[in-house]
């Protein structure tokens, strides 16, 4: 937690122990910093006060570990490292980027794609296809875990929030009801991947969530390693469990029973280094435009590079779903988008039921932040 006036006034004199008496969402290192910051903070204070009233809703998850992963992480009684260590998942496989010390390793761990598996028993992870097809719209983690027959003490939602957020975005814009009109292919442009680059195997779950489609995802962003620019990855099976004799080790295709005629991978990914507005022409040179653009944890208000990307999205007239770590970041993004496009959001800011169920450490606010916490659409 930093002083809210850091960079606005003189040098901070100590830790930020003085919270705003109205909203309680920000803190200052001194009275003088609080006074000097008021001209800025008064624009957001009432809004943050309203957001603070919904903290319990943000922390509402069905998991047995919810208290540890939300309140205790926010209050620094637990860390991501300690949470993962207790489950023997610290810095292994797809979990390597789920703590600060893993992130500090940079992207050297992702020099080449490696479906390293769940490092969990088969009963605790989706290492095989579902026992039954999804027949209703999944609206919560409870719905998903019941459908996939997973116990609520399994931590897999910490990684599964990536494909589940894609699934939810498709439902939000109504694309889920139009799958017959999409033919047999769903094209997704996915902007700004970071942690996901070490967790690409989890995107195989999209075939379970959206059966009957070939799903092609173009991942575009400056964090894609240079030597992986243009690399195509075919996901021919689900991420594996840790059991040597599990049937997932012998399944080479993501096929539903009776669908043996399918010969191509259900999910394919292609990586592109650079900004979307610079790479769009190359990406669509030999393929049609996307059905949907998805930008997770976008930070639209924080990065000027979004301006030409948003102008491009407006020009190509494709629905775009953004997410961010907190409601305030989405509000600031909505203001930026309206300034750039002259239009309001097509769908308002809403809480993502498939947000990651572990709080972000070192949040800039006293409001807990979660990866993919809120979504909005332009």
């Amino acid at each position: 937690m930093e002083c809210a006036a850091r960079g606005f006034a003189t040098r901070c004199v100590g830790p930020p122990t003085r919270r705003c008496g109205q909203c309680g969402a920000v803190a200052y290192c001194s009275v003088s910093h609080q006074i000097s910051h008021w001209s800025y903070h008064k624009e957001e204070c009432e809004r943050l006060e309203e957001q603070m009233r919904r903290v319990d809703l943000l922390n509402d998850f069905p998991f047995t570990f919810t208290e540890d992963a939300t309140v205790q992480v926010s209050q620094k009684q637990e860390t991501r490292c300690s949470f993962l260590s207790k489950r023997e998942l610290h810095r292994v496989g797809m979990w390597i980027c789920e703590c600060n010390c893993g992130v500090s390793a940079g992207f050297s761990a992702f020099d080449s794609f490696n479906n390293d598996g769940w490092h969990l028993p088969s009963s605790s992870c989706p290492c095989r296809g579902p026992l039954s097809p999804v027949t209703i719209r999944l609206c919560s983690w409870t719905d998903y875990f019941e459908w996939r027959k997973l116990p609520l003490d399994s931590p897999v939602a910490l990684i599964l929030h990536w494909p589940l957020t894609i699934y939810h975005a498709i439902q939000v814009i109504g694309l889920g009801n139009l799958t017959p009109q999409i033919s047999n292919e769903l094209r997704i442009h996915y902007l700004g991947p970071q942690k996901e680059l070490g967790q690409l195997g989890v995107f195989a779950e999209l075939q379970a969530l959206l059966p009957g489609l070939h799903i092609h995802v173009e991942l575009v962003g400056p964090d894609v390693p240079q030597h992986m620019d243009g690399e195509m990855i075919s996901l021919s099976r689900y991420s594996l469990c840790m059991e040597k004799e599990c049937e997932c080790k012998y399944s080479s295709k993501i096929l539903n029973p009776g669908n043996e005629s399918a010969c191509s991978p259900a999910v394919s990914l292609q990586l592109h280094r650079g900004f979307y507005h610079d790479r769009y022409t190359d990406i669509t040179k030999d393929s049609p435009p996307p059905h949907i653009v998805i930008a997770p944890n976008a930070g639209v208000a924080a990065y000027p590079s979004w301006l030409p990307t948003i102008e491009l999205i407006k020009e190509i007239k494709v629905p775009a779903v953004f997410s961010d770590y907190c409601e305030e970041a989405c509000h600031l993004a909505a203001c930026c988008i309206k300034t750039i496009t002259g239009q309001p959001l097509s769908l308002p800011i809403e809480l993502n039921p498939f947000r990651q169920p572990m709080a972000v450490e070192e949040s800039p606010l006293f409001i807990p932040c979660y990866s993919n916490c809120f979504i909005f659409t332009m």
Side-chain angles (χ1 to χ4, degrees):
M1 188 79 183
E2 294 181 345
C3 174
R6 182 179 180 184
F8 281 80
T10 56
R11 191 171 182 177
C12 289
V13 297
T17 57
R18 183 182 180 85
R19 290 174 69 165
C20 173
Q22 181 172 327
C23 70
V26 299
Y28 300 91
C29 68
S30 64
V31 174
S32 62
H33 273 204
Q34 184 172 4
I35 294 172
S36 64
H37 192 246
W38 176 245
S39 61
Y40 174 84
H41 179 60
K42 66 181 180 182
E43 300 294 331
E44 65 181 6
C45 189
E46 185 176 348
R47 199 166 58 241
L48 290 174
E49 183 181 10
E50 181 63 29
Q51 293 171 28
M52 283 288 284
R53 296 192 185 107
R54 297 192 286 269
V55 166
D56 288 345
L57 182 61
L58 297 183
N59 292 336
D60 185 18
F61 295 100
F63 305 109
T64 60
F65 56 78
T66 294
E67 178 75 10
D68 296 352
T70 60
V71 175
Q72 292 190 18
V73 169
S74 295
Q75 296 178 353
K76 299 184 180 181
Q77 299 168 359
E78 180 85 86
T79 67
R80 285 175 164 250
C81 291
S82 63
F83 180 92
L84 295 171
S85 294
K86 290 174 184 177
R87 292 157 179 82
E88 299 183 353
L89 297 172
H90 188 229
R91 301 201 70 176
V92 297
M94 294 193 295
W95 304 94
I96 195 168
C97 266
E98 290 308 319
C99 60
N100 287 337
C101 71
V103 172
S104 67
F107 289 105
S108 59
F110 316 137
D111 282 346
S112 61
F113 172 72
N114 179 24
N115 187 356
D116 203 15
W118 286 107
H119 293 267
L120 291 166
S122 61
S123 60
S124 295
C125 61
C127 62
R128 299 165 303 226
L131 296 176
S132 60
V134 59
T135 56
I136 62 169
R137 176 176 172 176
L138 304 175
C139 297
S140 67
W141 280 120
T142 299
D143 288 348
Y144 174 80
F145 271 61
E146 288 180 352
W147 168 56
R148 279 304 235 147
K149 309 300 181 187
L150 297 171
L152 291 175
D153 63 353
S154 169
V156 292
L158 269 64
I159 299 178
L160 281 168
H161 70 103
W162 301 120
L164 266 295
T165 294
I166 292 176
Y167 167 83
H168 183 61
I170 289 169
Q171 305 302 318
V172 163
I173 66 169
L175 203 57
N177 298 323
L178 301 175
T179 48
Q181 299 179 31
I182 298 175
S183 184
N184 64 344
E185 182 182 46
L186 175 61
R187 298 183 301 277
I188 300 169
H189 286 186
Y190 188 99
L191 313 188
Q194 293 180 321
K195 287 185 178 182
E196 306 95 304
L197 296 171
Q199 302 170 334
L200 294 177
V202 78
F203 287 91
E205 188 65 10
L206 288 172
Q207 177 56 19
L209 294 163
L210 302 165
L213 293 174
H214 172 76
I215 301 158
H216 186 67
V217 186
E218 307 276 1
L219 296 102
V220 191
D223 288 306
V224 172
Q226 183 67 55
H227 66 278
M228 294 182 72
D229 185 17
E231 182 169 345
M232 179 76 77
I233 297 166
S234 297
L235 300 181
S236 59
R237 62 186 180 187
Y238 295 92
S239 292
L240 307 180
C241 70
M242 66 190 300
E243 297 173 9
K244 293 182 180 179
E245 299 304 319
C246 179
E247 66 182 78
C248 70
K249 304 299 188 297
Y250 311 105
S251 174
S252 61
K253 295 290 181 183
I254 309 173
L255 299 177
N256 295 322
N259 192 26
E260 289 79 7
S261 61
C263 58
S264 62
V267 180
S268 60
L269 315 174
Q270 189 161 19
L271 304 179
H272 305 272
R273 179 178 174 84
F275 293 114
Y276 187 54
H277 52 270
D278 293 328
R279 299 304 308 270
Y280 179 78
T281 301
D282 294 338
I283 295 168
T284 57
K285 180 172 58 177
D286 299 316
S287 63
H291 295 104
I292 183 174
V293 172
I294 296 176
N297 300 323
V300 169
Y303 300 102
S305 56
W306 275 111
L307 192 155
T309 289
I310 290 168
E311 290 176 338
L312 171 63
I313 293 171
K314 179 186 178 183
E315 179 183 337
I316 64 178
K317 298 180 180 179
V318 170
V321 179
F322 297 76
S323 77
D324 223 314
Y325 290 98
C326 66
E327 188 174 358
E328 183 63 13
C330 293
H331 170 80
L332 296 175
C335 293
C336 290
I337 289 171
K338 186 174 181 179
T339 299
I340 296 168
T341 65
Q343 300 172 352
L345 299 179
S346 59
L347 291 174
I349 299 165
E350 65 172 45
L351 187 65
N352 177 12
F354 297 108
R355 62 198 179 279
Q356 188 185 45
M358 179 177 278
V360 174
E361 293 178 309
E362 300 299 331
S363 168
L365 302 171
F366 281 99
I367 303 171
C369 294
Y370 294 94
S371 182
N372 287 324
C373 193
F374 285 87
I375 66 169
F376 58 93
T377 304
M378 66 166 284

